[in-house]
Amino acid sequence: MLHISDIHFKAPDCLDPWMDPDASIRTRMMRDLGEQVGKLGEVGAILIGGDVAFKGASEEYDTARGWIQQLSQISGCPKERVFVVPGNHDVDRGMIKKAVAIQNVQHAIASAPAGKREWKLSQQLRDRPSGQNLFEPHAAYNEFAAPFNCQIWPDKPFWHQDVPLGGGVNLRLYGLTSTLLSGQEGEDDKAGDLYLSPLQTVLNPVPNTINLVLVHHPVDWLFDGDAVDDALTSRAILHLFGHKHRQRAVMEANYVRLGAGAVNPSRHDKPYDPGYNLIRLEVEGNGHDRRVKVEVHQRRLQENPEMFVPIFAGHGKTVFESIIQLPEEAEIPRLDVIKPPAASAAGQADKAGDEIAAQDAEAALGDEDKRDLLYRFWSLKSGQRRDIVNELGLLEEGEMKLPEPERYGRALIRAGQRKLLDKVAAAVAKLEN
């Protein structure tokens, strides 16, 4: 896996590669990546830890798409195997500064007493106008993230996808959103301003599955940082952070925590250390002795001569290593085939069953063929997407008014839940032809 963060495509500079002062660093990074792929093998997933853009502007993401396609080709990673989370620069702070409604919902959560902040966040998310206001500054990010099935909305403030590792083990990727309170009053954030909440750190254990968490802000930037730290260390094997522009590798017996160097840090940063991480996971052994071997290769830019070089792990080694035990576990019935218990309020039972099924349906969209379908679906014109979901009855009342990333994100998860993805695939193929 390739782990990068803080690319900071900044308009108008990034719109002209001949006038973009950061373009040469990205080019050197891609050339070095190509050499590493030749040694280590092709990349199976690209994990982007936020700050794709600089001010959350649509034209910045247009440039980012082209670069990520190049990155996919050089790394040998299928373009639909890109995963992304938002950073503070993916939040449109100009929009927040102009919109009192957005300011109000952020303030309501941020000013709540510590013991009531989780409840206040839940309350704002459940209220449709407030929830939509909270996510409005992520609109351009969501348009960019939708083809990768990494968009977020009030009912789904984070995403999760399953990727098979082999050896009977699944890797469950969690993309958590640390930016819900970012840009309050249109201003820069300070450490401790941001909030993840227990809503995002459930990380419900699944047999023979290891959890990877991708999030932009490290725990010391979070109001609930200690609680998040405790949850991650006990519930996830891999923790991937960005934001600080500092590469770090903490290799413990039960988890690995990585900080990503910025692909394009500010040229005023001292030290100026562009960098990226390569992570290899390998399942070894079986039964009681099954384990996951984690290898991390960290690369950073050396100034003179200008080239990427390894970060040493000690004793002359260029690979950080950890072996984490993962004994085989008995499977339990899947949640999406458990029917909700009989209830006097049948509607409530049906809704609970739909929510459970939708959770697993989203995770199942991590399958390579399904992600390819989603990427192709989002490559269609807006009207074509609308026709498909309407024909298959995948939208519910009022959902046509939602922003497209949420509207069709809901519809595609619903298609998986109702086992209609094959019909979506047929409709997409018909339009492509």
Side-chain angles (χ1 to χ4, degrees), residues 192-232:
D193 281 352
L194 306 175
Y195 183 52
L196 209 60
S197 90
L199 302 178
Q200 295 197 64
T201 57
V202 176
L203 307 181
N204 203 23
V206 177
N208 304 303
T209 297
I210 61 174
N211 292 332
L212 179 154
V213 167
L214 179 67
V215 61
H216 183 67
H217 290 92
V219 295
D220 56 329
W221 276 77
L222 306 174
F223 169 84
D224 54 339
D226 287 344
V228 171
D229 192 19
D230 290 343
L232 297 190

Side-chain angles (χ1 to χ4, degrees), residues 32 247 261 272-277 298-303 307-312:
D32 186 73
Q247 277 179 286
Y272 177 71
D273 281 331
Y276 69 95
N277 298 328
Q298 294 195 313
R299 309 284 296 176
R300 69 171 182 87
L301 184 72
Q302 172 184 280
E303 286 193 20
M307 60 186 292
F308 277 83
V309 296
I311 294 177
F312 287 91

Side-chain angles (χ1 to χ4, degrees), residues 206-313:
V206 177
N208 304 303
T209 297
I210 61 174
N211 292 332
L212 179 154
V213 167
L214 179 67
V215 61
H216 183 67
H217 290 92
V219 295
D220 56 329
W221 276 77
L222 306 174
F223 169 84
D224 54 339
D226 287 344
V228 171
D229 192 19
D230 290 343
L232 297 190
T233 54
S234 62
R235 299 172 184 174
I237 283 180
L238 291 150
H239 318 154
L240 276 55
F241 296 103
H243 187 65
K244 283 190 169 184
H245 306 179
R246 297 171 64 192
Q247 277 179 286
R248 293 291 184 269
V250 177
M251 316 295 287
E252 298 288 353
N254 61 327
Y255 70 87
V256 168
R257 179 169 293 182
L258 302 179
V263 172
N264 284 127
S266 167
R267 289 185 301 283
H268 302 294
D269 281 3
K270 300 296 179 187
Y272 177 71
D273 281 331
Y276 69 95
N277 298 328
L278 286 167
I279 308 162
R280 169 178 279 168
L281 302 181
E282 185 176 357
V283 180
E284 301 176 334
N286 51 62
H288 242 359
D289 296 323
R290 191 175 66 181
R291 56 201 174 271
V292 177
K293 183 179 180 181
V294 185
E295 294 182 358
V296 178
H297 302 255
Q298 294 195 313
R299 309 284 296 176
R300 69 171 182 87
L301 184 72
Q302 172 184 280
E303 286 193 20
N304 189 18
E306 193 174 70
M307 60 186 292
F308 277 83
V309 296
I311 294 177
F312 287 91

